[in-house]
Amino acid sequence: MRFGIIMPTYQRPNLLKRAIESVLAQTYEDWVLVVADDGSGDDTESVIRAYANQDKRIIPSPSEENQGVNASRNRALDLLLKLLSARYLKERRLSIRLSSRGRMALDRV
């Protein structure tokens, strides 16, 4: 079973490092972490990208402007797709969904 972890953040690069490190230190390794930066004007985005470059399970979800923690959380949740067992996805559905929302590609997950 893969865990999906959503981490909204805003202008907390030092606290963010500790939070991401705590996920990386988990003994259970089947997880994906979506870090939703809420338009930070500091070093936060570069911290996220540095971790994402080291571990493909870490997915940056940046915002250009501060919209609040709920908007960040919802943006991260928007990357999750609900699929009923009686339905199916066409092969490009995820790529189309991402491009239509202006999100970065998640094809490395």
Side-chain angles (χ1 to χ4, degrees), residues 8-47:
T9 189
Y10 178 69
Q11 302 207 84
R12 295 182 176 196
N14 292 331
L15 293 175
L16 179 62
K17 290 176 187 179
R18 182 176 179 198
I20 292 173
E21 289 290 339
S22 75
V23 176
L24 289 168
Q26 294 302 300
T27 56
Y28 189 84
E29 297 181 347
D30 193 8
W31 51 261
V32 62
L33 171 63
V34 179
V35 185
D37 180 18
D38 193 25
S40 298
D42 60 4
D43 202 27
T44 299
E45 186 175 346
S46 64
V47 169

Side-chain angles (χ1 to χ4, degrees), residues 53-100:
N53 288 336
Q54 293 175 6
D55 194 313
K56 67 179 186 170
R57 299 171 296 175
I58 299 173
I59 310 299
S61 178
S63 174
E64 292 184 14
E65 62 184 49
N66 180 262
Q67 299 173 329
V69 68
N70 287 334
S72 292
R73 187 178 301 117
N74 288 339
R75 190 173 64 256
L77 283 170
D78 194 33
L79 295 174
L80 303 177
L81 182 68
K82 298 176 187 113
L83 180 64
L84 300 173
S85 62
R87 299 203 153 205
Y88 67 95
L89 294 177
K90 293 185 178 179
E91 64 185 32
R92 296 200 64 233
R93 179 66 182 115
L94 298 179
S95 297
I96 292 168
R97 181 178 172 123
L98 287 170
S99 65
S100 71

